[in-house]
Tab-separated table of all heavy atoms in Angstrom:
chain	number	residue	atom	x	y	z
A	25	MET	N	-41.653	6.855	12.862
A	25	MET	CA	-41.113	5.750	12.100
A	25	MET	C	-39.717	5.439	12.640
A	25	MET	O	-38.918	6.334	12.883
A	25	MET	CB	-41.054	6.124	10.625
A	25	MET	CG	-40.470	5.052	9.755
A	25	MET	SD	-40.492	5.541	8.027
A	25	MET	CE	-41.438	4.205	7.390
A	26	ASN	N	-39.406	4.171	12.792
A	26	ASN	CA	-38.087	3.755	13.270
A	26	ASN	C	-37.070	3.774	12.143
A	26	ASN	O	-37.369	3.393	11.017
A	26	ASN	CB	-38.146	2.339	13.852
A	26	ASN	CG	-38.958	2.293	15.125
A	26	ASN	OD1	-39.042	3.280	15.841
A	26	ASN	ND2	-39.569	1.157	15.402
A	27	GLU	N	-35.881	4.211	12.496
A	27	GLU	CA	-34.786	4.247	11.532
A	27	GLU	C	-34.080	2.895	11.520
A	27	GLU	O	-33.789	2.332	12.567
A	27	GLU	CB	-33.797	5.335	11.926
A	27	GLU	CG	-32.670	5.502	10.960
A	27	GLU	CD	-31.733	6.628	11.373
A	27	GLU	OE1	-32.211	7.628	11.906
A	27	GLU	OE2	-30.529	6.480	11.153
A	28	LEU	N	-33.820	2.376	10.341
A	28	LEU	CA	-33.100	1.121	10.193
A	28	LEU	C	-31.621	1.351	10.445
A	28	LEU	O	-31.029	2.288	9.907
A	28	LEU	CB	-33.305	0.554	8.792
A	28	LEU	CG	-32.600	-0.759	8.479
A	28	LEU	CD1	-33.158	-1.881	9.355
A	28	LEU	CD2	-32.766	-1.109	7.013
A	29	ARG	N	-31.031	0.526	11.304
A	29	ARG	CA	-29.599	0.633	11.591
A	29	ARG	C	-28.931	-0.671	11.167
A	29	ARG	O	-29.501	-1.744	11.295
A	29	ARG	CB	-29.362	0.854	13.083
A	29	ARG	CG	-29.877	2.194	13.544
A	29	ARG	CD	-29.739	2.386	15.013
A	29	ARG	NE	-28.347	2.287	15.416
A	29	ARG	CZ	-27.964	2.180	16.673
A	29	ARG	NH1	-28.841	2.174	17.640
A	29	ARG	NH2	-26.680	2.103	16.977
A	30	CYS	N	-27.710	-0.547	10.689
A	30	CYS	CA	-26.962	-1.714	10.245
A	30	CYS	C	-25.565	-1.649	10.850
A	30	CYS	O	-24.873	-0.637	10.728
A	30	CYS	CB	-26.886	-1.738	8.725
A	30	CYS	SG	-26.059	-3.212	8.079
A	31	THR	N	-25.158	-2.744	11.510
A	31	THR	CA	-23.832	-2.832	12.106
A	31	THR	C	-23.093	-3.997	11.468
A	31	THR	O	-23.645	-5.074	11.313
A	31	THR	CB	-23.921	-3.052	13.627
A	31	THR	OG1	-24.668	-1.978	14.200
A	31	THR	CG2	-22.545	-3.088	14.260
A	32	ALA	N	-21.845	-3.752	11.111
A	32	ALA	CA	-21.009	-4.783	10.502
A	32	ALA	C	-19.842	-5.087	11.429
A	32	ALA	O	-19.341	-4.196	12.128
A	32	ALA	CB	-20.479	-4.316	9.155
A	33	VAL	N	-19.404	-6.335	11.414
A	33	VAL	CA	-18.188	-6.737	12.104
A	33	VAL	C	-17.093	-6.772	11.054
A	33	VAL	O	-17.209	-7.448	10.034
A	33	VAL	CB	-18.347	-8.115	12.779
A	33	VAL	CG1	-17.038	-8.559	13.395
A	33	VAL	CG2	-19.447	-8.063	13.827
A	34	LEU	N	-16.039	-6.004	11.308
A	34	LEU	CA	-14.937	-5.885	10.358
A	34	LEU	C	-13.679	-6.431	11.013
A	34	LEU	O	-13.302	-5.986	12.090
A	34	LEU	CB	-14.735	-4.410	9.984
A	34	LEU	CG	-13.520	-4.079	9.133
A	34	LEU	CD1	-13.713	-4.632	7.730
A	34	LEU	CD2	-13.298	-2.582	9.091
A	35	THR	N	-13.048	-7.399	10.386
A	35	THR	CA	-11.756	-7.894	10.860
A	35	THR	C	-10.682	-7.362	9.925
A	35	THR	O	-10.887	-7.283	8.711
A	35	THR	CB	-11.702	-9.433	10.902
A	35	THR	OG1	-11.857	-9.944	9.588
A	35	THR	CG2	-12.782	-9.991	11.809
A	36	CYS	N	-9.556	-6.951	10.498
A	36	CYS	CA	-8.506	-6.417	9.640
A	36	CYS	C	-7.130	-6.667	10.241
A	36	CYS	O	-6.976	-6.829	11.445
A	36	CYS	CB	-8.706	-4.920	9.400
A	36	CYS	SG	-8.552	-3.898	10.858
A	37	ARG	N	-6.166	-6.707	9.355
A	37	ARG	CA	-4.755	-6.767	9.729
A	37	ARG	C	-3.969	-6.074	8.624
A	37	ARG	O	-3.907	-6.550	7.490
A	37	ARG	CB	-4.260	-8.202	9.890
A	37	ARG	CG	-2.780	-8.228	10.294
A	37	ARG	CD	-2.329	-9.628	10.693
A	37	ARG	NE	-1.010	-9.574	11.276
A	37	ARG	CZ	0.130	-9.632	10.586
A	37	ARG	NH1	0.089	-9.740	9.274
A	37	ARG	NH2	1.285	-9.577	11.202
A	38	ASN	N	-3.417	-4.929	8.958
A	38	ASN	CA	-2.600	-4.152	8.019
A	38	ASN	C	-3.339	-3.856	6.716
A	38	ASN	O	-2.854	-4.141	5.631
A	38	ASN	CB	-1.276	-4.872	7.747
A	38	ASN	CG	-0.419	-4.964	8.987
A	38	ASN	OD1	-0.548	-4.157	9.899
A	38	ASN	ND2	0.447	-5.952	9.043
A	39	GLU	N	-4.507	-3.225	6.844
A	39	GLU	CA	-5.341	-2.896	5.681
A	39	GLU	C	-5.577	-1.392	5.570
A	39	GLU	O	-6.575	-0.952	5.007
A	39	GLU	CB	-6.689	-3.614	5.781
A	39	GLU	CG	-6.599	-5.114	5.833
A	39	GLU	CD	-6.106	-5.741	4.553
A	39	GLU	OE1	-6.080	-5.058	3.511
A	39	GLU	OE2	-5.738	-6.921	4.587
A	40	ARG	N	-4.660	-0.580	6.087
A	40	ARG	CA	-4.894	0.872	6.129
A	40	ARG	C	-5.219	1.464	4.761
A	40	ARG	O	-6.139	2.273	4.640
A	40	ARG	CB	-3.709	1.598	6.744
A	40	ARG	CG	-4.013	3.086	6.853
A	40	ARG	CD	-2.991	3.882	7.594
A	40	ARG	NE	-3.402	5.269	7.602
A	40	ARG	CZ	-3.723	5.945	8.688
A	40	ARG	NH1	-3.664	5.361	9.866
A	40	ARG	NH2	-4.089	7.197	8.623
A	41	GLN	N	-4.494	1.087	3.725
A	41	GLN	CA	-4.745	1.671	2.401
A	41	GLN	C	-6.170	1.406	1.937
A	41	GLN	O	-6.823	2.290	1.385
A	41	GLN	CB	-3.747	1.141	1.377
A	41	GLN	CG	-2.360	1.715	1.549
A	41	GLN	CD	-1.421	1.233	0.450
A	41	GLN	OE1	-1.551	0.118	-0.044
A	41	GLN	NE2	-0.477	2.083	0.074
A	42	ILE	N	-6.643	0.210	2.148
A	42	ILE	CA	-8.011	-0.137	1.744
A	42	ILE	C	-9.020	0.580	2.634
A	42	ILE	O	-10.014	1.125	2.154
A	42	ILE	CB	-8.217	-1.662	1.787
A	42	ILE	CG1	-7.339	-2.322	0.729
A	42	ILE	CG2	-9.687	-2.030	1.605
A	42	ILE	CD1	-7.265	-3.827	0.834
A	43	LEU	N	-8.748	0.595	3.934
A	43	LEU	CA	-9.666	1.236	4.870
A	43	LEU	C	-9.773	2.742	4.623
A	43	LEU	O	-10.864	3.314	4.749
A	43	LEU	CB	-9.231	0.969	6.314
A	43	LEU	CG	-9.324	-0.485	6.760
A	43	LEU	CD1	-8.675	-0.661	8.120
A	43	LEU	CD2	-10.768	-0.959	6.775
A	44	GLU	N	-8.684	3.383	4.268
A	44	GLU	CA	-8.720	4.821	3.974
A	44	GLU	C	-9.661	5.121	2.810
A	44	GLU	O	-10.304	6.165	2.781
A	44	GLU	CB	-7.320	5.342	3.638
A	44	GLU	CG	-6.431	5.492	4.833
A	44	GLU	CD	-5.019	5.938	4.480
A	44	GLU	OE1	-4.517	5.579	3.397
A	44	GLU	OE2	-4.428	6.635	5.304
A	45	ARG	N	-9.725	4.209	1.873
A	45	ARG	CA	-10.576	4.395	0.698
A	45	ARG	C	-12.041	4.045	0.992
A	45	ARG	O	-12.955	4.747	0.558
A	45	ARG	CB	-10.049	3.545	-0.455
A	45	ARG	CG	-10.721	3.840	-1.778
A	45	ARG	CD	-10.187	2.955	-2.858
A	45	ARG	NE	-10.454	1.581	-2.431
A	45	ARG	CZ	-9.789	0.518	-2.845
A	45	ARG	NH1	-8.823	0.641	-3.699
A	45	ARG	NH2	-10.089	-0.678	-2.410
A	46	LEU	N	-12.277	2.955	1.738
A	46	LEU	CA	-13.642	2.464	1.920
A	46	LEU	C	-14.369	3.029	3.141
A	46	LEU	O	-15.590	3.200	3.112
A	46	LEU	CB	-13.631	0.938	2.006
A	46	LEU	CG	-13.177	0.222	0.745
A	46	LEU	CD1	-13.130	-1.278	0.969
A	46	LEU	CD2	-14.081	0.568	-0.431
A	47	LEU	N	-13.635	3.314	4.204
A	47	LEU	CA	-14.266	3.767	5.441
A	47	LEU	C	-15.157	4.995	5.243
A	47	LEU	O	-16.290	5.006	5.741
A	47	LEU	CB	-13.202	4.014	6.519
A	47	LEU	CG	-13.710	4.376	7.898
A	47	LEU	CD1	-14.556	3.248	8.477
A	47	LEU	CD2	-12.547	4.689	8.830
A	48	PRO	N	-14.711	6.020	4.531
A	48	PRO	CA	-15.598	7.187	4.344
A	48	PRO	C	-16.925	6.832	3.675
A	48	PRO	O	-17.970	7.375	4.029
A	48	PRO	CB	-14.777	8.130	3.461
A	48	PRO	CG	-13.363	7.741	3.703
A	48	PRO	CD	-13.395	6.254	3.930
A	49	HIS	N	-16.905	5.900	2.740
A	49	HIS	CA	-18.135	5.480	2.058
A	49	HIS	C	-19.063	4.737	3.008
A	49	HIS	O	-20.267	4.976	3.025
A	49	HIS	CB	-17.817	4.603	0.843
A	49	HIS	CG	-17.029	5.297	-0.203
A	49	HIS	ND1	-17.539	6.311	-0.996
A	49	HIS	CD2	-15.736	5.157	-0.585
A	49	HIS	CE1	-16.616	6.750	-1.822
A	49	HIS	NE2	-15.504	6.061	-1.591
A	50	TRP	N	-18.499	3.812	3.788
A	50	TRP	CA	-19.310	3.054	4.744
A	50	TRP	C	-19.962	3.982	5.757
A	50	TRP	O	-21.146	3.852	6.053
A	50	TRP	CB	-18.462	2.014	5.472
A	50	TRP	CG	-17.934	0.921	4.603
A	50	TRP	CD1	-18.470	0.458	3.436
A	50	TRP	CD2	-16.763	0.143	4.837
A	50	TRP	NE1	-17.696	-0.557	2.935
A	50	TRP	CE2	-16.653	-0.777	3.769
A	50	TRP	CE3	-15.799	0.125	5.833
A	50	TRP	CZ2	-15.618	-1.703	3.689
A	50	TRP	CZ3	-14.771	-0.794	5.756
A	50	TRP	CH2	-14.680	-1.695	4.694
A	51	LEU	N	-19.180	4.922	6.285
A	51	LEU	CA	-19.707	5.830	7.297
A	51	LEU	C	-20.736	6.786	6.700
A	51	LEU	O	-21.741	7.091	7.336
A	51	LEU	CB	-18.566	6.594	7.967
A	51	LEU	CG	-17.545	5.727	8.705
A	51	LEU	CD1	-16.476	6.599	9.350
A	51	LEU	CD2	-18.195	4.806	9.722
A	52	ALA	N	-20.519	7.241	5.474
A	52	ALA	CA	-21.480	8.125	4.808
A	52	ALA	C	-22.816	7.427	4.584
A	52	ALA	O	-23.869	8.074	4.599
A	52	ALA	CB	-20.916	8.624	3.475
A	53	GLU	N	-22.782	6.117	4.405
A	53	GLU	CA	-24.008	5.334	4.223
A	53	GLU	C	-24.697	5.026	5.552
A	53	GLU	O	-25.775	4.443	5.572
A	53	GLU	CB	-23.696	4.026	3.496
A	53	GLU	CG	-23.314	4.206	2.051
A	53	GLU	CD	-24.472	4.706	1.204
A	53	GLU	OE1	-25.622	4.327	1.460
A	53	GLU	OE2	-24.199	5.516	0.284
A	54	GLY	N	-24.029	5.383	6.663
A	54	GLY	CA	-24.632	5.154	7.972
A	54	GLY	C	-24.297	3.800	8.585
A	54	GLY	O	-24.866	3.432	9.606
A	55	LEU	N	-23.390	3.063	7.971
A	55	LEU	CA	-22.993	1.770	8.505
A	55	LEU	C	-22.211	1.970	9.796
A	55	LEU	O	-21.346	2.844	9.883
A	55	LEU	CB	-22.120	1.025	7.494
A	55	LEU	CG	-21.718	-0.401	7.837
A	55	LEU	CD1	-22.944	-1.300	7.926
A	55	LEU	CD2	-20.754	-0.931	6.795
A	56	GLU	N	-22.537	1.182	10.811
A	56	GLU	CA	-21.794	1.214	12.061
A	56	GLU	C	-20.876	0.001	12.087
A	56	GLU	O	-21.240	-1.073	11.605
A	56	GLU	CB	-22.751	1.181	13.242
A	56	GLU	CG	-23.644	2.399	13.287
A	56	GLU	CD	-24.682	2.339	14.369
A	56	GLU	OE1	-25.180	1.231	14.676
A	56	GLU	OE2	-25.015	3.402	14.919
A	57	LEU	N	-19.675	0.166	12.638
A	57	LEU	CA	-18.671	-0.895	12.591
A	57	LEU	C	-18.203	-1.299	13.979
A	57	LEU	O	-17.923	-0.451	14.822
A	57	LEU	CB	-17.449	-0.431	11.801
A	57	LEU	CG	-17.671	-0.049	10.350
A	57	LEU	CD1	-16.423	0.604	9.784
A	57	LEU	CD2	-18.058	-1.264	9.530
A	58	CYS	N	-18.111	-2.596	14.184
A	58	CYS	CA	-17.384	-3.182	15.302
A	58	CYS	C	-16.148	-3.814	14.667
A	58	CYS	O	-16.268	-4.671	13.791
A	58	CYS	CB	-18.212	-4.240	16.014
A	58	CYS	SG	-19.588	-3.554	16.926
A	59	VAL	N	-14.986	-3.368	15.092
A	59	VAL	CA	-13.736	-3.751	14.436
A	59	VAL	C	-12.960	-4.731	15.309
A	59	VAL	O	-12.808	-4.520	16.514
A	59	VAL	CB	-12.864	-2.505	14.163
A	59	VAL	CG1	-11.559	-2.898	13.499
A	59	VAL	CG2	-13.630	-1.500	13.307
A	60	ILE	N	-12.470	-5.788	14.691
A	60	ILE	CA	-11.543	-6.719	15.331
A	60	ILE	C	-10.209	-6.548	14.622
A	60	ILE	O	-10.090	-6.809	13.426
A	60	ILE	CB	-12.024	-8.173	15.221
A	60	ILE	CG1	-13.391	-8.319	15.886
A	60	ILE	CG2	-10.997	-9.122	15.853
A	60	ILE	CD1	-14.048	-9.670	15.661
A	61	ASP	N	-9.226	-6.065	15.361
A	61	ASP	CA	-7.906	-5.817	14.791
A	61	ASP	C	-6.969	-6.969	15.138
A	61	ASP	O	-6.836	-7.347	16.293
A	61	ASP	CB	-7.332	-4.505	15.324
A	61	ASP	CG	-5.961	-4.225	14.732
A	61	ASP	OD1	-5.875	-4.125	13.496
A	61	ASP	OD2	-4.991	-4.129	15.501
A	62	HIS	N	-6.340	-7.522	14.116
A	62	HIS	CA	-5.413	-8.648	14.277
A	62	HIS	C	-3.967	-8.155	14.253
A	62	HIS	O	-3.222	-8.416	13.313
A	62	HIS	CB	-5.624	-9.683	13.168
A	62	HIS	CG	-6.927	-10.394	13.236
A	62	HIS	ND1	-7.206	-11.370	14.147
A	62	HIS	CD2	-8.050	-10.239	12.487
A	62	HIS	CE1	-8.440	-11.809	13.967
A	62	HIS	NE2	-8.979	-11.135	12.971
A	63	SER	N	-3.577	-7.399	15.269
A	63	SER	CA	-2.179	-6.959	15.463
A	63	SER	C	-1.652	-6.112	14.303
A	63	SER	O	-0.500	-6.253	13.898
A	63	SER	CB	-1.256	-8.166	15.686
A	63	SER	OG	-1.716	-8.982	16.728
A	64	SER	N	-2.482	-5.203	13.791
A	64	SER	CA	-2.025	-4.324	12.710
A	64	SER	C	-0.871	-3.450	13.184
A	64	SER	O	-0.851	-2.992	14.324
A	64	SER	CB	-3.166	-3.417	12.237
A	64	SER	OG	-4.173	-4.165	11.606
A	65	ASN	N	0.063	-3.205	12.268
A	65	ASN	CA	1.177	-2.318	12.585
A	65	ASN	C	1.396	-1.280	11.477
A	65	ASN	O	2.464	-0.693	11.377
A	65	ASN	CB	2.464	-3.113	12.860
A	65	ASN	CG	2.890	-3.982	11.701
A	65	ASN	OD1	2.429	-3.797	10.582
A	65	ASN	ND2	3.759	-4.933	11.967
A	66	ASP	N	0.364	-1.051	10.676
A	66	ASP	CA	0.470	-0.096	9.573
A	66	ASP	C	-0.397	1.144	9.778
A	66	ASP	O	-0.551	1.946	8.871
A	66	ASP	CB	0.082	-0.762	8.248
A	66	ASP	CG	-1.403	-1.076	8.155
A	66	ASP	OD1	-2.071	-1.149	9.215
A	66	ASP	OD2	-1.897	-1.251	7.026
A	67	GLY	N	-0.968	1.293	10.962
A	67	GLY	CA	-1.828	2.437	11.240
A	67	GLY	C	-3.307	2.157	11.055
A	67	GLY	O	-4.124	3.063	11.214
A	68	SER	N	-3.665	0.919	10.740
A	68	SER	CA	-5.083	0.567	10.586
A	68	SER	C	-5.857	0.846	11.867
A	68	SER	O	-6.940	1.436	11.838
A	68	SER	CB	-5.243	-0.918	10.228
A	68	SER	OG	-4.694	-1.208	8.972
A	69	ARG	N	-5.306	0.421	12.989
A	69	ARG	CA	-5.996	0.614	14.266
A	69	ARG	C	-6.157	2.104	14.573
A	69	ARG	O	-7.229	2.542	14.993
A	69	ARG	CB	-5.266	-0.083	15.396
A	69	ARG	CG	-6.002	0.071	16.715
A	69	ARG	CD	-5.271	-0.563	17.883
A	69	ARG	NE	-6.030	-0.350	19.086
A	69	ARG	CZ	-6.984	-1.152	19.541
A	69	ARG	NH1	-7.270	-2.256	18.885
A	69	ARG	NH2	-7.649	-0.870	20.639
A	70	GLU	N	-5.121	2.889	14.340
A	70	GLU	CA	-5.191	4.324	14.615
A	70	GLU	C	-6.255	5.004	13.745
A	70	GLU	O	-6.949	5.917	14.208
A	70	GLU	CB	-3.820	4.972	14.403
A	70	GLU	CG	-2.778	4.567	15.426
A	70	GLU	CD	-2.161	3.180	15.203
A	70	GLU	OE1	-2.409	2.549	14.151
A	70	GLU	OE2	-1.424	2.727	16.104
A	71	LEU	N	-6.392	4.550	12.512
A	71	LEU	CA	-7.429	5.083	11.634
A	71	LEU	C	-8.807	4.783	12.206
A	71	LEU	O	-9.685	5.654	12.233
A	71	LEU	CB	-7.289	4.477	10.228
A	71	LEU	CG	-8.339	4.898	9.211
A	71	LEU	CD1	-8.281	6.395	8.945
A	71	LEU	CD2	-8.165	4.113	7.921
A	72	MET	N	-9.002	3.578	12.675
A	72	MET	CA	-10.283	3.206	13.277
A	72	MET	C	-10.524	3.985	14.573
A	72	MET	O	-11.635	4.440	14.837
A	72	MET	CB	-10.332	1.701	13.554
A	72	MET	CG	-10.358	0.852	12.324
A	72	MET	SD	-11.883	1.130	11.410
A	72	MET	CE	-11.251	1.154	9.770
A	73	GLU	N	-9.482	4.137	15.389
A	73	GLU	CA	-9.612	4.887	16.639
A	73	GLU	C	-10.019	6.331	16.379
A	73	GLU	O	-10.782	6.916	17.149
A	73	GLU	CB	-8.304	4.856	17.425
A	73	GLU	CG	-8.026	3.521	18.077
A	73	GLU	CD	-6.658	3.436	18.732
A	73	GLU	OE1	-5.799	4.321	18.491
A	73	GLU	OE2	-6.441	2.478	19.495
A	74	ALA	N	-9.536	6.911	15.293
A	74	ALA	CA	-9.885	8.287	14.945
A	74	ALA	C	-11.372	8.428	14.613
A	74	ALA	O	-11.906	9.538	14.644
A	74	ALA	CB	-9.038	8.763	13.767
A	75	ASN	N	-12.032	7.314	14.319
A	75	ASN	CA	-13.450	7.338	13.967
A	75	ASN	C	-14.346	6.749	15.044
A	75	ASN	O	-15.546	6.564	14.815
A	75	ASN	CB	-13.659	6.607	12.641
A	75	ASN	CG	-13.112	7.409	11.487
A	75	ASN	OD1	-13.740	8.346	11.024
A	75	ASN	ND2	-11.914	7.074	11.046
A	76	LEU	N	-13.783	6.458	16.212
A	76	LEU	CA	-14.603	5.982	17.328
A	76	LEU	C	-15.657	7.036	17.659
A	76	LEU	O	-15.353	8.221	17.763
A	76	LEU	CB	-13.743	5.712	18.568
A	76	LEU	CG	-13.153	4.329	18.684
A	76	LEU	CD1	-12.156	4.270	19.834
A	76	LEU	CD2	-14.217	3.263	18.848
A	77	GLY	N	-16.878	6.593	17.792
A	77	GLY	CA	-17.970	7.513	18.089
A	77	GLY	C	-18.548	8.183	16.852
A	77	GLY	O	-19.548	8.879	16.942
A	78	SER	N	-17.941	7.981	15.713
A	78	SER	CA	-18.442	8.549	14.454
A	78	SER	C	-18.721	7.451	13.443
A	78	SER	O	-18.424	7.583	12.260
A	78	SER	CB	-17.406	9.524	13.875
A	78	SER	OG	-17.171	10.585	14.751
A	79	GLY	N	-19.231	6.349	13.932
A	79	GLY	CA	-19.527	5.205	13.075
A	79	GLY	C	-18.806	3.955	13.517
A	79	GLY	O	-19.299	2.854	13.332
A	80	VAL	N	-17.624	4.105	14.074
A	80	VAL	CA	-16.917	2.964	14.655
A	80	VAL	C	-17.372	2.861	16.104
A	80	VAL	O	-17.157	3.776	16.902
A	80	VAL	CB	-15.381	3.121	14.556
A	80	VAL	CG1	-14.685	1.963	15.258
A	80	VAL	CG2	-14.948	3.196	13.098
A	81	LEU	N	-18.039	1.766	16.419
A	81	LEU	CA	-18.620	1.594	17.752
A	81	LEU	C	-17.626	1.055	18.761
A	81	LEU	O	-17.646	1.437	19.929
A	81	LEU	CB	-19.821	0.640	17.683
A	81	LEU	CG	-20.956	1.070	16.763
A	81	LEU	CD1	-22.016	-0.018	16.730
A	81	LEU	CD2	-21.543	2.394	17.204
A	82	GLN	N	-16.773	0.142	18.305
A	82	GLN	CA	-15.872	-0.555	19.229
A	82	GLN	C	-14.717	-1.154	18.441
A	82	GLN	O	-14.880	-1.554	17.292
A	82	GLN	CB	-16.651	-1.670	19.935
A	82	GLN	CG	-15.879	-2.424	20.959
A	82	GLN	CD	-16.749	-3.467	21.665
A	82	GLN	OE1	-17.830	-3.829	21.190
A	82	GLN	NE2	-16.274	-3.952	22.781
A	83	ILE	N	-13.539	-1.211	19.081
A	83	ILE	CA	-12.383	-1.865	18.497
A	83	ILE	C	-11.894	-2.895	19.504
A	83	ILE	O	-11.655	-2.578	20.664
A	83	ILE	CB	-11.232	-0.864	18.211
A	83	ILE	CG1	-11.719	0.250	17.280
A	83	ILE	CG2	-10.031	-1.594	17.591
A	83	ILE	CD1	-10.753	1.393	17.140
A	84	MET	N	-11.768	-4.120	19.043
A	84	MET	CA	-11.289	-5.207	19.885
A	84	MET	C	-10.008	-5.768	19.297
A	84	MET	O	-9.775	-5.675	18.096
A	84	MET	CB	-12.352	-6.295	19.983
A	84	MET	CG	-13.620	-5.831	20.673
A	84	MET	SD	-14.988	-6.962	20.440
A	84	MET	CE	-15.580	-6.402	18.850
A	85	ASP	N	-9.180	-6.339	20.147
A	85	ASP	CA	-7.937	-6.951	19.713
A	85	ASP	C	-8.063	-8.459	19.695
A	85	ASP	O	-8.628	-9.049	20.614
A	85	ASP	CB	-6.789	-6.588	20.667
A	85	ASP	CG	-6.482	-5.108	20.622
A	85	ASP	OD1	-6.252	-4.600	19.516
A	85	ASP	OD2	-6.461	-4.472	21.683
A	86	LEU	N	-7.528	-9.058	18.668
A	86	LEU	CA	-7.400	-10.513	18.567
A	86	LEU	C	-6.021	-10.757	17.979
A	86	LEU	O	-5.787	-10.453	16.812
A	86	LEU	CB	-8.491	-11.116	17.685
A	86	LEU	CG	-8.521	-12.624	17.605
A	86	LEU	CD1	-8.791	-13.252	18.963
A	86	LEU	CD2	-9.593	-13.080	16.618
A	87	PRO	N	-5.082	-11.227	18.798
A	87	PRO	CA	-3.699	-11.380	18.326
A	87	PRO	C	-3.611	-12.219	17.050
A	87	PRO	O	-4.349	-13.193	16.876
A	87	PRO	CB	-2.998	-12.078	19.480
A	87	PRO	CG	-3.822	-11.763	20.682
A	87	PRO	CD	-5.242	-11.672	20.181
A	88	TRP	N	-2.702	-11.815	16.177
A	88	TRP	CA	-2.434	-12.550	14.942
A	88	TRP	C	-1.552	-13.747	15.286
A	88	TRP	O	-0.498	-13.596	15.895
A	88	TRP	CB	-1.737	-11.638	13.944
A	88	TRP	CG	-1.392	-12.301	12.657
A	88	TRP	CD1	-0.156	-12.697	12.235
A	88	TRP	CD2	-2.301	-12.661	11.625
A	88	TRP	NE1	-0.239	-13.278	11.001
A	88	TRP	CE2	-1.556	-13.277	10.595
A	88	TRP	CE3	-3.664	-12.540	11.450
A	88	TRP	CZ2	-2.134	-13.734	9.424
A	88	TRP	CZ3	-4.222	-13.004	10.293
A	88	TRP	CH2	-3.476	-13.595	9.283
A	89	LEU	N	-1.979	-14.922	14.892
A	89	LEU	CA	-1.229	-16.144	15.205
A	89	LEU	C	-0.536	-16.719	13.988
A	89	LEU	O	0.050	-17.786	14.059
A	89	LEU	CB	-2.163	-17.182	15.837
A	89	LEU	CG	-2.853	-16.739	17.128
A	89	LEU	CD1	-3.804	-17.808	17.613
A	89	LEU	CD2	-1.837	-16.372	18.196
A	90	GLY	N	-0.621	-16.034	12.868
A	90	GLY	CA	0.075	-16.477	11.676
A	90	GLY	C	-0.761	-17.182	10.674
A	90	GLY	O	-1.886	-17.391	10.716
């Protein structure tokens, strides 16, 4: 039987507090994430990088234009 996989695209900018709370739940449910970071400077990107290969598939940059 094939296992169902689900991948979400997550965009964020300075959302570390929210991500710290929600990321463990998403990963525990088996959700895979492709992250687009909009110039975060609060540690959001580092949190995602710490989970690369453990549910976070890829992190891409898209500069914040305001």
Side-chain angles (χ1 to χ4, degrees):
M25 178 178 238
N26 292 332
E27 183 178 324
L28 179 65
R29 293 176 59 193
C30 184
T31 302
V33 176
L34 173 70
T35 63
C36 65
R37 180 170 190 273
N38 295 335
E39 300 293 345
R40 183 173 179 115
Q41 287 184 328
I42 294 170
L43 294 171
E44 285 177 328
R45 190 181 59 203
L46 296 177
L47 185 62
H49 298 290
W50 294 334
L51 299 181
E53 290 293 325
L55 185 63
E56 297 175 326
L57 299 171
C58 290
V59 179
I60 300 172
D61 180 59
H62 292 285
S63 306
S64 293
N65 59 16
D66 70 340
S68 295
R69 182 182 179 89
E70 291 78 8
L71 178 63
M72 292 295 139
E73 286 174 347
N75 289 281
L76 271 171
S78 299
V80 176
L81 301 176
Q82 183 177 16
I83 302 170
M84 296 166 276
D85 294 306
L86 185 62
W88 179 254
L89 301 177

